[in-house]
Amino acid sequence: MKKLLYLFPILLLFSCSEEENQSTQPQVQNLTESVYSSVTIQPDSMYQAFAAVTGILDNILVEEGDLVTIGQPILQIINANPKLNSENARLAMQIAKNNYNGKNPILNDLKNELELAKLKLQNDSVNFLRQQNLWREKIGSEAEYDTRKLQFETAKQTVNTLKNKYKRTTTELEQKLEQAANNYEASLTQTKDFTIKSKINGRIYSIFKNQGELISIQQPVAMIGSASKFIAELLVDEVDIARIELSQKVIITLDAYGKEVFEATVKKIYPQKNERSQTFKIEAEFTNEPPKLYPGLSGEANIIIAEKVNVLTIPKTYLIDNNNVKTDDGIIEIKTGLESLDKIEVISGIDKNTTINLPEE
C-alpha cells in the first residue's frame, strides 16, 4: 500500500510533464476548405395547390403518391354561388346587348322623339322662311315674324339636343354591354376553377383535406412536385454565405444512407435571410443521386470553398492568436491560408522541419 501511495504522485507528474511537452511538425498534405450546412431533400418544382373559390371538397380524384400530368384534375369543389353569379352575369349581358341593339324603349323613344323634332324643325323652317319673305314685302307684323323665328330656332336647338342625347345614350349602352361581357367572362373563369388541376408533370406528395371538408382560398389543398428529380436544400449560416458561389461542389451524407457520400452542385442561392434561424437557403442539384429519395430526408453537407494539393499544414489547436505558433526558439509569427475543420495552411514563417509546441491553456 505504501508503494502505491508513493508511485501515484510520480505517475501523475510524469503524465503532466508529457502533456506540457506535446509537440509536432508541419506536414505536407492536401487541404480542403468547406462550409458546413444541414440538408433536407425536396422534389424539384414542388408547389402547393390552392383553390380559387371557397366551397366543399366534393371529390378527390387522386391519391398521395400518384403520378399526374399537366392539366390533370386532382380535386373537385362544390359551390353554387359562382354558377349563380355566372347566370346572373349572362342575363345582364343579354339585357345590355338588347339595349344596345335598339330593342330598349329608351333608344326607341329617343329615336321617335328625334324624328318628330326633325319634322317640326322642317315645318317651322318653312313657316319662318315664308314669314321672312312676307316681312321683306312689309306684309304682316314684326311680332308675327319674331314668333316664327323663335319657333324655328327652338326647333333647331331641340333637334341638336336630341341628337347629342341619342349619341350619348348609345355610347353608354355600348360601354355597359362591354362591361357586362367582361363580367360574364370573369364569372365563367370562376366556374372553371371548381376543379383543381395539376400545373406540372409530377407526383402527388400530400393531400391536406378530406372529402366533405370546407375549402378556403387561403389554405393549400395539395402538395405536388417532380416525381424523378430531387434537390438538396441547404441552410448556411450568415457568417459563411459570402463565400458561397454557384457551381461549387457539395459533399452530402444522408441519415437514410449511413456513411455513403453523394456529390452535388450549388444551383441557386436565395438572397433573403431567414430571420428566425439566421441562415440562408441554398439549392444543390445531385451529380450522383441516391437510388431512392423521399421528401424530408435529412442529413449533412459540406460545400467545398477551395482545394489545394501538397500544402504545408499544422493542426489549428497549435495556433496562438490566429497567426502565431510556439517553437523551441519562442513565439514565431506565421502567415496562414486555407483551413479545414482541424487543419490550416502555413504559407510562410516556418517550414516542415520546425518543431512547434502545443500552447498552454
Side-chain angles (χ1 to χ4, degrees):
M1 178 65 68
K2 289 183 178 180
K3 288 183 179 181
L4 289 175
L5 290 173
Y6 283 118
L7 283 173
F8 178 75
I10 296 175
L11 289 173
L12 182 62
L13 179 63
F14 178 77
S15 176
C16 294
S17 176
E18 184 181 19
E19 183 176 349
E20 290 177 358
N21 294 327
Q22 281 185 353
S23 61
T24 188
Q25 290 181 322
Q27 296 180 352
V28 176
Q29 57 185 196
N30 300 338
L31 193 62
T32 299
E33 183 175 4
S34 63
V35 168
Y36 171 83
S37 74
S38 59
V39 175
T40 303
I41 302 301
Q42 297 292 1
D44 190 29
S45 304
M46 187 171 67
Y47 76 96
Q48 292 180 327
F50 287 82
V53 294
T54 299
I56 303 298
L57 181 56
D58 180 52
N59 196 8
I60 301 176
L61 305 175
V62 293
E63 294 183 357
E64 293 180 344
D66 284 355
L67 296 176
V68 292
T69 57
I70 295 178
Q72 179 178 337
I74 57 176
L75 300 169
Q76 288 181 336
I77 300 171
I78 292 178
N79 190 332
N81 287 335
K83 288 186 177 180
L84 293 175
N85 293 338
S86 178
E87 182 61 21
N88 290 335
R90 187 191 67 79
L91 293 173
M93 184 185 69
Q94 188 62 47
I95 293 172
K97 186 182 295 184
N98 292 336
N99 291 342
Y100 179 67
N101 291 334
K103 297 180 181 179
N104 184 277
I106 297 175
L107 279 182
N108 286 334
D109 290 347
L110 283 175
K111 188 181 294 185
N112 294 332
E113 192 175 350
L114 180 58
E115 292 300 324
L116 290 174
K118 287 180 179 180
L119 290 176
K120 187 176 186 304
L121 173 62
Q122 184 178 2
N123 184 63
D124 288 344
S125 175
V126 171
N127 291 333
F128 171 65
L129 288 175
R130 184 183 296 119
Q131 190 65 40
Q132 190 178 44
N133 291 331
L134 290 172
W135 181 245
R136 285 175 182 170
E137 298 294 332
K138 300 301 181 179
I139 300 173
S141 65
E142 185 177 3
E144 192 174 1
Y145 168 77
D146 290 340
T147 300
R148 295 294 183 185
K149 182 180 180 181
L150 179 60
Q151 289 175 346
F152 168 68
E153 295 293 340
T154 302
K156 185 167 65 172
Q157 184 64 37
T158 300
V159 169
N160 290 332
T161 300
L162 288 173
K163 281 183 177 179
N164 292 333
K165 186 176 181 180
Y166 184 84
K167 184 178 180 180
R168 184 174 63 255
T169 303
T170 302
T171 301
E172 290 175 354
L173 291 175
E174 182 180 9
Q175 292 174 346
K176 288 181 179 179
L177 175 58
E178 292 179 358
Q179 184 178 13
N182 291 336
N183 291 338
Y184 180 57
E185 289 295 325
S187 68
L188 287 179
T189 301
Q190 290 182 348
T191 58
K192 292 177 183 177
D193 288 335
F194 277 32
T195 300
I196 301 174
K197 300 178 181 180
S198 174
K199 302 296 183 183
I200 63 170
N201 294 324
R203 187 185 301 276
I204 303 294
Y205 286 99
S206 294
I207 297 176
F208 304 126
K209 295 290 184 177
N210 296 318
Q211 191 169 352
E213 285 193 66
L214 177 66
I215 301 298
S216 168
I217 59 175
Q218 288 86 19
Q219 296 178 328
V221 293
M223 181 78 74
I224 308 172
S226 173
S228 57
K229 186 178 180 181
F230 289 79
I231 58 172
E233 288 188 357
L234 316 179
L235 296 180
V236 176
D237 193 274
E238 64 174 323
V239 299
D240 297 317
I241 190 62
R243 306 161 69 192
I244 308 300
E245 303 286 346
L246 295 177
S247 300
Q248 286 177 334
K249 184 178 178 181
V250 184
I251 305 300
I252 296 176
T253 58
L254 297 173
D255 296 341
Y257 285 92
K259 295 183 179 180
E260 193 171 352
V261 176
F262 304 96
E263 293 185 4
T265 303
V266 175
K267 291 297 181 182
K268 186 174 183 179
I269 302 172
Y270 287 84
Q272 180 64 42
K273 182 179 73 171
N274 186 315
E275 295 296 336
R276 179 179 295 181
S277 63
Q278 299 296 302
T279 59
F280 287 82
K281 186 169 78 170
I282 293 174
E283 287 185 1
E285 188 176 299
F286 283 101
T287 52
N288 67 318
E289 191 173 293
K292 287 184 180 180
L293 288 175
Y294 297 92
L297 290 181
S298 60
E300 298 178 327
N302 284 285
I303 305 171
I304 307 302
I305 304 302
E307 293 180 289
K308 285 188 178 181
V309 178
N310 296 330
V311 296
L312 194 66
T313 67
I314 62 171
K316 293 171 74 172
T317 54
Y318 282 76
L319 276 178
I320 302 174
D321 298 331
N322 296 324
N323 60 348
N324 293 290
V325 292
K326 181 181 180 182
T327 69
D328 294 338
D329 298 325
I331 303 297
I332 295 179
E333 183 178 354
I334 63 173
K335 183 179 180 181
T336 60
L338 205 65
E339 60 179 289
S340 66
L341 186 62
D342 58 345
K343 301 281 186 179
I344 189 166
E345 176 190 7
V346 177
I347 297 176
S348 63
I350 58 176
D351 57 33
K352 63 180 180 179
N353 297 316
T354 304
T355 299
I356 60 174
N357 300 313
L358 190 68
E360 298 178 358
E361 296 183 0

